[in-house]
Amino acid sequence: MFAPRRTVRALVVAATAAAMLMTTVSAQAADIPPPGEVVTSPNVTHVATLPKLPGLETTVNSDIAFQGDYAYVGNYGGFSIYDIRDPKRAKLVSGVLCPGSQMDVSVYGDLLFGAVDNSRSDDSCNSVGQGADIKESWEGVRIFDISDKKNPKYIKAVETACGSHTLTLVPGKGRDKKNVYLYVSSYAPSDSFPDCLPPHDKISIIKVPLRKPTDAAVVSTPVVFPDGGNETQPGLLRPTSGCHDITVYAEKDIAAGACMGDGVLFDISDREKPVVTARTTDPNFAFWHSATFNNRGTKVIFTDELGGGGAATCNEAIGPNRGADAIYDIVRGKLVFKSYFKIGRYQADTENCVAHNGSLIPVKGKDILVQAWYQGGVSFVDFTDSARPQEFGFFERGPEPSGGGGGIWSAYYYNGYVYASDFYRGLEVIKIDDRRTDPARNVRLDRLNVQTQASYQGGH
């Protein structure tokens, strides 16, 4: 674990005492910086904060996708497109105002896919919120043509049962490469929702013909939990009624599902018919939120979104093992628990903080993660030793000046820099200079949808 957070100036002065700081885990009031003040470890630099698309200032930023020289940042009110070819001079290009949370995004070629888990009066960008108890309400996936970065166009909507809280892009294979698939995760059915009736316990799979994306349609709805899943464990945020998020490792034909009360492995060799191969539960977990494989596909990190992202869980009262990452080795097809990881920099009791979205940093032979923690900021973690993960860098701010919620939703490494979506400020650009991550500079990607993992070969 890393030291309790301090101001940048204090960290620089204390650099010679780094070994001592690395072992310090308890925070004092003096360690909480002033509201909104940026603090980092000595190996991390804050490069820039890029503003949101006008019109999205008051709605929450969510997930990020990358392709070529562009970053696409989802937002509860639409999405923004940034030119990042020169990260130090990155700039906002355009975007779309199109409300409907969460706007989890993936990109492929000229297409952007956005998840809508908010019942709307219709599927248009002019829709308004409307109760899910009304049969005519719409929620699901919107598809945009992004071939013209300055003028993206909305081209198609696909309705899915219980909407689309998140989505995961899965490329076709072999003769099926002319298609991509979207694994749609949704949950929380109700007897009063005509299009989201219990038991749900399934995902929706959309097939998108790349040559004619307007023909996109749901092709299957496989049931993940025929037995109902984990519904009775004390302390669950919500009982299992579907999945929150799925990460696929397409070239290995495997996927990991973070499914509310359950962690799941899938065989996805048949893209339209994923098969559950392993399941696990953890009495310490409240809500299985997201998953990340290591590069070899021999480990999975699952995150526990204790408190649903709105609670202050990074404090001494909650402790180091709840609202944390859980690291599992995959041994003979089964998930074997090895350890928990949580940032040791205790946050103020006003700060929402819990394990959230992150990605691998591509260093060959090592397992290194960069991860968002809401108001806990951004953490750099080496989990090469599954039983002894260690934080070795961080970026964050002092508490939100308003005293309300905020912070970093997603933090992802892409071609030498870390990009982090802040709820209200916009897109943060961050640089790490460290011997552990320096080899990643040799790895260049053409596209990154973090929930669509691909192997990397460089980084020597």
Side-chain angles (χ1 to χ4, degrees):
M1 292 184 179
F2 210 79
R5 61 187 181 175
R6 304 177 188 276
T7 64
V8 174
R9 182 179 301 171
L11 276 169
V12 171
V13 171
T16 57
M20 180 181 69
L21 289 173
M22 286 290 289
T23 63
T24 306
V25 295
S26 62
Q28 306 298 321
D31 294 318
I32 306 298
E37 181 177 319
V38 171
V39 294
T40 72
S41 53
N43 55 354
V44 171
T45 303
H46 180 213
V47 177
T49 301
L50 307 179
K52 295 180 178 181
L53 181 75
L56 299 181
E57 296 91 344
T58 62
T59 46
V60 171
N61 268 353
S62 57
D63 214 4
I64 316 171
F66 305 87
Q67 190 166 241
D69 294 325
Y70 295 91
Y72 302 83
V73 181
N75 180 286
Y76 278 41
F79 64 90
S80 302
I81 303 176
Y82 298 90
D83 182 336
I84 58 170
R85 76 188 67 192
D86 182 349
K88 295 180 180 179
R89 296 177 176 82
K91 60 184 179 182
L92 177 68
V93 175
S94 70
V96 170
L97 301 179
C98 195
S101 65
Q102 297 184 131
M103 201 58 183
D104 192 38
V105 291
S106 287
V107 295
Y108 196 93
D110 290 335
L111 302 175
L112 180 144
F113 306 96
V116 179
D117 188 29
N118 167 232
S119 292
R120 313 296 300 174
S121 55
D122 56 61
D123 63 9
S124 76
C125 290
N126 295 317
S127 64
V128 296
Q130 179 171 284
D133 57 337
I134 300 172
K135 173 64 178 173
E136 292 74 24
S137 294
W138 179 91
E139 51 187 323
V141 174
R142 292 175 174 142
I143 304 176
F144 297 83
D145 182 330
I146 52 171
S147 54
D148 181 350
K149 303 298 183 290
K150 294 182 179 181
N151 186 30
K153 296 179 180 179
Y154 179 23
I155 61 171
K156 173 71 175 181
V158 181
E159 188 170 14
T160 57
C162 299
S164 177
H165 193 71
T166 62
L167 57 80
T168 302
L169 188 143
V170 190
K173 62 178 187 176
R175 295 180 179 179
D176 199 26
K177 286 186 176 180
K178 61 183 181 297
N179 302 303
V180 296
Y181 295 85
L182 304 175
Y183 286 5
V184 173
S185 295
S186 57
Y187 53 89
S190 169
D191 288 330
S192 64
F193 298 164
D195 296 324
C196 183
L197 295 170
H200 185 59
D201 293 325
K202 62 187 178 183
I203 63 173
S204 296
I205 299 179
I206 298 173
K207 184 177 183 178
V208 183
L210 293 172
R211 294 177 182 173
K212 195 176 181 183
T214 53
D215 284 349
V218 174
V219 291
S220 67
T221 54
V223 175
V224 180
F225 302 102
D227 63 353
N230 182 10
E231 298 182 324
T232 60
Q233 176 184 308
L236 289 178
L237 181 67
R238 287 176 179 266
T240 298
S241 61
C243 290
H244 177 272
D245 208 354
I246 296 171
T247 294
V248 301
Y249 203 150
E251 65 196 73
K252 294 182 182 293
D253 285 334
I254 57 175
C259 301
M260 307 181 72
D262 296 79
V264 176
L265 291 180
F266 297 93
D267 178 336
I268 60 166
S269 51
D270 184 334
R271 299 293 195 247
E272 296 183 20
K273 299 177 181 178
V275 176
V276 175
T277 59
R279 277 175 57 185
T280 191
T281 59
D282 183 341
N284 186 61
F285 259 42
F287 191 81
W288 296 69
H289 177 275
S290 53
T292 304
F293 288 101
N294 68 337
N295 188 47
R296 294 174 58 202
T298 58
K299 302 178 186 179
V300 185
I301 289 184
F302 288 102
T303 65
D304 175 21
E305 195 182 44
L306 176 69
T313 72
C314 298
N315 53 24
E316 192 169 9
I318 298 297
N321 293 333
R322 300 180 62 219
D325 297 331
I327 302 171
Y328 285 79
D329 286 352
I330 302 173
V331 181
R332 293 185 289 277
K334 303 300 181 184
L335 291 164
V336 178
F337 173 79
K338 301 301 290 187
S339 68
Y340 296 116
F341 169 78
K342 190 174 182 181
I343 58 173
R345 294 164 284 109
Y346 290 144
Q347 308 295 298
D349 290 338
T350 61
E351 293 181 278
N352 58 306
C353 175
V354 74
H356 216 242
N357 293 349
S359 76
L360 292 183
I361 297 181
V363 178
K364 188 175 182 182
K366 296 289 185 179
D367 298 327
I368 296 178
L369 182 77
V370 59
Q371 183 177 1
W373 291 80
Y374 287 130
Q375 285 195 67
V378 175
S379 176
F380 295 86
V381 184
D382 186 334
F383 66 105
T384 306
D385 183 341
S386 301
R388 295 175 179 83
Q390 300 237 339
E391 182 181 67
F392 62 91
F394 70 87
F395 161 92
E396 62 170 302
R397 281 189 167 87
E400 285 295 318
S402 67
I408 303 297
W409 181 289
S410 299
Y412 300 146
Y413 181 93
Y414 183 69
N415 293 345
Y417 288 78
V418 169
Y419 299 88
S421 58
D422 185 282
F423 272 39
Y424 298 113
R425 290 180 176 85
L427 182 64
E428 304 284 13
V429 185
I430 302 165
K431 188 79 162 61
I432 184 165
D433 292 292
D434 190 279
R435 58 177 178 78
R436 301 168 186 85
T437 58
D438 287 347
R441 297 172 183 171
N442 299 325
V443 180
R444 308 299 291 181
L445 302 176
D446 296 323
R447 180 189 305 115
L448 180 64
N449 297 303
V450 169
Q451 289 76 34
T452 308
Q453 283 192 230
S455 64
Y456 51 82
Q457 305 301 323
H460 296 278

